[in-house]
């Protein structure tokens, strides 16, 4: 109406101005709307960006050198063929508790200070709980709002009275279903989120490998889809007492331990513990180790089933493509090598090499990598996947994630030139009544008076693959005994060449060993 009192020319001018103002206002509204939409989208994206899920399956005593992966047909197909197989994976110490402590902390034993499987050796001790557990890698994941689950064997002394009993739940775990003590299949006790839970010998309810699987599947069903998850599954297989599921107890009836390589060979030129077994082994020892070998394989079939069922579940809940799955063992094992019936604890390839298979986002199928990786690298790799700034983490290992997902030209960029393997021997102060001729200071004595360990079975080794395939080991005994092997010409470590090798090389290896034995954190990764 106000335009009626204005001249036609003025009306036209005002209409132009108002039109311009209207267009500007409309532009501001559109711009504001776009900004708000973009901001909302950004906020939503930042809240909804989901980190990859992670699963670590850790078996107990599973070798790779003596055919330990042969029964794992499903695992090799579903993880190895779907991802990467590491052909040079090693433990930094060939015994359960110190090795598992290395996996959890990402540290060499000389830094986490777990020496053996006893409380006095710092296995799950109150000192470990105060000084190491708060810095284990699951704590970092939990702070990033990962939903965490633990099932199966933890540390050998876990749950004992001297280790705080079943009420102690290590930090970082939302769901905790840990075995009290060492590996069993039936008649065991669990800490179920800090509550004692006793189990009997009913296969459907109690068989530990299946129980770990079933509770992990329940965890997947009950988890919150808005946050990633981490699961650590630790079945007892193939550790003694080698109790297979009922439907697998007749399998592999014709299988015997491999007779090649160092099987039933004398320990000539080796540390005295390797020289004490009778050679050749008596028939009773051979029968015993063959039975153990067959039963170990039988127990692994349930683990193979576990892997299959777990992957089917991940697929059904549409999480398989966003989940990294690691499959490995705490150390290797031997059955008759150098006439030692059965055990681990030795410095040789059969005890320190471990299986390692990984599948997950960005990993191409059927990939084999030869760069050496260690079990202390698992924690750093898992934290790398979770997006943790690794420079803020005090660990000795290094992430091998770049090796798995980078272009081939970049995969060797993080390859370590050499690494450390160390072990502190165990023994009893009194002599074994069944083997009085051997005297005190020994442990793990089997039939026919063959002892697998001793106080002075304490050694540290430098292992190198990059420039030369060598192993150099020093024993902490009154002989200062040294063993050296060229694994290119002698893959079964039959000949100790310490008296044949160039003294200059021995000096180089000795200096490397000295540096590694005192390394910590970054100095373990960059030792020259």
């Amino acid at each position: 109406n106000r335009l009626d009192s204005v001249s036609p020319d003025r009306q036209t001018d005002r209409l132009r101005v108002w039109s311009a103002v209207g267009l500007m206002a409309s532009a501001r509204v559109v711009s504001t709307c776009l900004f708000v939409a973009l901001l909302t989208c950004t906020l939503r994206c930042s809240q909804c960006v989901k980190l990859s899920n992670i699963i670590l399956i850790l078996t107990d005593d599973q070798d790779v050198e003596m055919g330990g992966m042969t029964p794992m047909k499903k695992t090799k197909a579903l993880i190895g063929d779907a991802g990467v197989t590491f052909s040079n994976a090693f433990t930094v110490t060939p015994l359960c508790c110190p090795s598992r402590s290395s996996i959890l902390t990402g540290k060499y034993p000389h830094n986490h200070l777990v020496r053996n499987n006893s409380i006095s050796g710092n296995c799950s001790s109150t000192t470990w709980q105060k000084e190491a557990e708060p810095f284990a890698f699951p704590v970092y994941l939990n702070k990033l709002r990962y939903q965490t689950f633990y099932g199966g064997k933890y540390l050998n002394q876990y749950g004992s009275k001297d280790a705080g009993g079943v009420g102690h739940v290590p930090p970082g775990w939302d769901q905790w279903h840990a075995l009290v003590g060492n590996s069993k299949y039936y008649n065991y006790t669990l800490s179920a989120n800090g509550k004692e839970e006793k189990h009997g010998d009913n296969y459907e309810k109690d068989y530990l490998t299946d129980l770990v699987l079933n509770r992990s599947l329940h965890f997947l069903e009950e988890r919150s889809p808005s946050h990633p998850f981490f699961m650590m599954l630790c079945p007892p297989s193939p550790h003694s007492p080698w109790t297979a599921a009922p439907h697998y107890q007749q399998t592999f009836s014709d299988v015997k331990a491999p007779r090649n390589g160092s099987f039933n060979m004398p320990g000539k030129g080796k540390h005295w513990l390797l020289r004490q077994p009778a050679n050749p082994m008596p028939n009773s020892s051979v029968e015993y180790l063959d039975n153990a070998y067959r039963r170990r394989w039988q127990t692994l079939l349930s683990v193979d089933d576990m892997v299959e069922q777990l992957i089917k579940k991940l697929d059904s809940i549409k999480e398989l493509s966003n989940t990294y799955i690691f499959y490995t063992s705490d150390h290797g094992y031997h059955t008759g090598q150098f006439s030692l019936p059965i055990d681990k604890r030795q410095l040789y390839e059969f005890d320190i090499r471990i299986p390692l298979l990984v599948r997950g986002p960005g990993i191409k199928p059927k990939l084999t990598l030869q760069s050496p990786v260690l079990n202390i690298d698992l924690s750093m790799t898992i934290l790398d996947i979770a997006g943790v700034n690794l420079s803020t983490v005090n660990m000795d290992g290094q992430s091998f994630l770049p090796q798995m997902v980078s272009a081939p030209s970049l995969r060797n960029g993080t390859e370590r030139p050499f690494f450390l393997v160390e072990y502190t021997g165990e023994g009893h102060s009194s002599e074994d009544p069944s083997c009085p001729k051997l005297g005190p200071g020994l442990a793990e004595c089997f039939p026919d008076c063959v002892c697998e360990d001793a106080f002075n079975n304490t050694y540290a080794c430098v292992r190198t693959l990059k420039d030369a395939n060598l192993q150099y080991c020093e024993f902490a005994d009154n002989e200062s005994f040294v063993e050296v092997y060229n694994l290119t010409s002698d893959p079964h470590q039959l000949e100790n060449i310490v008296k044949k090798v160039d003294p200059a090389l021995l000096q180089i290896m000795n200096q490397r060993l000295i540096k590694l034995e005192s390394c910590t954190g970054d100095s373990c990764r960059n030792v020259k």
Side-chain angles (χ1 to χ4, degrees):
N1 293 333
R2 293 180 59 193
L3 282 176
D4 293 340
S5 60
V6 180
S7 67
D9 291 339
R10 294 280 290 175
Q11 290 179 24
T12 302
D13 291 340
R14 286 188 178 182
L15 284 171
R16 287 173 179 161
V17 171
W18 290 352
S19 296
V21 170
L23 288 171
M24 291 173 64
S26 297
R28 288 194 188 100
V29 171
V30 172
S31 178
T32 301
C33 289
L34 286 173
F35 175 76
V36 171
L38 182 61
L39 178 62
T40 302
C41 181
T42 301
L43 289 172
R44 285 177 179 170
C45 289
S46 66
Q47 293 169 354
C48 295
V49 166
K50 188 177 180 183
L51 292 168
S52 294
N53 310 306
I54 309 165
I55 299 174
L56 172 59
I57 301 171
L58 178 66
T59 56
D60 195 357
D61 285 10
Q62 188 174 9
D63 69 277
V64 69
E65 286 289 283
M66 310 313 303
M69 287 297 291
T70 303
M72 314 302 294
K73 293 181 179 179
K74 299 172 185 177
T75 300
K76 289 187 289 186
L78 294 171
I79 302 181
D81 290 349
V84 57
T85 298
F86 287 90
S87 59
N88 288 306
F90 294 86
T91 182
V92 296
T93 185
L95 187 63
C96 299
C97 196
S99 175
R100 289 164 182 260
S101 301
S102 286
I103 291 170
L104 290 164
T105 63
K107 294 183 177 182
Y108 280 116
H110 68 262
N111 286 326
H112 63 59
L113 303 179
V114 178
R115 296 178 296 279
N116 52 49
N117 287 342
S118 66
I119 287 284
S120 61
N122 203 29
C123 178
S124 200
S125 68
T126 54
T127 300
W128 156 266
Q129 293 169 14
K130 292 176 182 177
E131 298 181 1
E133 277 185 344
F135 304 100
F137 77 86
V139 175
Y140 290 86
L141 296 178
N142 209 227
K143 288 179 179 178
L144 291 171
R145 303 189 71 183
Y146 268 79
Q147 302 163 91
T148 55
F149 172 94
Y150 194 97
K153 177 178 174 177
Y154 181 54
L155 302 174
N156 295 56
Q157 296 297 327
Y158 173 75
S160 67
K161 183 178 179 180
D162 293 337
V166 297
H168 172 69
V169 177
W173 299 104
D174 297 319
Q175 288 291 319
W176 179 253
H177 303 270
L179 177 68
V180 173
N182 204 359
S183 283
K184 289 184 178 180
Y185 300 80
Y186 294 112
N187 300 308
Y188 55 84
T189 300
L190 285 184
S191 171
N193 296 316
K195 302 294 184 181
E196 182 179 78
E197 187 179 281
K198 290 189 175 294
H199 287 264
D201 57 2
N202 182 286
Y203 170 70
E204 284 76 16
K205 295 190 300 183
D206 302 315
Y207 192 69
L208 184 56
T209 303
D210 292 353
L211 182 142
V212 169
L213 168 64
N214 292 334
R215 295 200 178 179
S216 69
L217 297 179
H218 180 73
F219 169 79
L220 289 174
E221 292 171 356
E222 298 296 318
R223 84 203 189 287
S224 169
S226 60
H227 298 291
F229 60 82
F230 168 72
M231 299 198 301
M232 189 165 176
L233 311 182
C234 303
S237 306
H239 195 285
S240 62
W242 315 304
T243 309
H247 47 286
Y248 288 135
Q249 290 180 0
Q250 303 304 316
T251 56
F252 307 125
S253 58
D254 296 329
V255 167
K256 295 182 178 180
R259 267 38 176 187
N260 60 337
S262 57
F263 180 84
N264 210 3
M265 297 292 289
K268 182 180 179 181
K270 291 175 167 51
H271 192 245
W272 75 269
L273 191 66
L274 272 292
R275 301 196 304 266
Q276 51 97 23
N279 181 265
M281 289 183 288
N283 289 336
S284 56
S285 288
V286 175
E287 291 173 3
Y288 180 80
L289 68 88
D290 276 339
N291 181 56
Y293 188 91
R294 179 170 54 254
R295 293 174 66 189
R296 281 164 53 81
W297 275 22
Q298 292 171 350
T299 68
L300 284 168
L301 292 174
S302 293
V303 181
D304 208 33
D305 291 340
M306 167 193 281
V307 171
E308 180 185 42
Q309 292 302 313
L310 190 63
I311 288 178
K312 284 183 178 179
K313 184 64 175 181
L314 292 170
D315 190 36
S316 71
I317 61 175
K318 304 197 181 331
E319 292 286 3
L320 182 58
S321 63
N322 191 41
T323 302
Y324 286 91
I325 305 174
F326 294 75
Y327 184 94
T328 190
S329 174
D330 49 8
H331 47 73
Y333 205 73
H334 58 258
T335 48
Q337 283 60 52
F338 297 117
S339 302
L340 294 172
I342 57 162
D343 201 45
K344 47 269 185 177
R345 295 177 169 86
Q346 306 306 326
L347 57 88
Y348 308 102
E349 297 285 282
F350 42 74
D351 283 359
I352 66 173
R353 280 186 177 266
I354 55 176
L356 179 57
L357 315 176
V358 191
R359 67 172 288 169
I363 302 177
K364 293 183 178 180
K366 296 186 177 180
L367 183 66
T368 299
L369 293 180
Q370 297 181 349
S371 298
V373 293
L374 309 178
N375 62 347
I376 57 172
D377 298 337
L378 287 166
S379 54
M380 291 288 270
T381 305
I382 289 169
L383 293 182
D384 198 6
I385 291 170
V388 173
N389 181 354
L390 299 185
S391 66
T392 65
V393 179
N394 181 23
M395 294 182 177
D396 302 336
Q398 63 188 38
S399 172
F400 53 82
L401 180 62
Q403 295 186 39
M404 297 191 292
V405 301
S406 296
S409 60
L410 301 176
R411 285 190 185 129
N412 292 326
T414 57
E415 182 173 342
R416 52 170 56 84
F418 45 84
F419 57 89
L420 175 68
V421 176
E422 54 189 343
Y423 177 71
T424 301
E426 289 184 81
H428 301 298
S429 56
S430 59
E431 63 187 25
D432 188 323
S434 62
C435 302
K437 65 178 182 179
L438 297 175
L442 294 106
E444 304 298 321
C445 297
F446 285 88
D448 304 310
C449 289
V450 177
C451 297
E452 298 273 359
D453 207 1
F455 280 131
N456 67 354
N457 183 39
T458 297
Y459 56 80
C461 304
V462 175
R463 183 74 170 87
T464 178
L465 286 84
K466 188 174 182 180
D467 298 321
N469 195 9
L470 297 174
Q471 185 181 35
Y472 171 94
C473 302
E474 294 182 2
F475 283 82
D477 59 10
N478 55 12
E479 299 178 25
S480 298
F481 198 82
V482 176
E483 294 187 31
V484 182
Y485 299 97
N486 181 334
L487 284 99
T488 299
S489 59
D490 180 21
H492 301 296
Q493 297 165 288
L494 299 175
E495 182 184 9
N496 179 7
I497 59 172
V498 64
K499 295 180 180 179
K500 297 181 178 180
V501 73
D502 186 346
L505 178 59
L506 294 180
Q507 185 175 6
I508 291 172
M509 299 295 275
N510 170 263
Q511 291 302 309
R512 289 176 174 176
L513 183 59
I514 291 172
K515 290 180 181 179
L516 281 170
E517 284 187 289
S518 60
C519 78
T520 180
D522 189 60
S523 66
C524 297
R525 295 184 286 272
N526 297 315
V527 63
K528 302 297 183 182

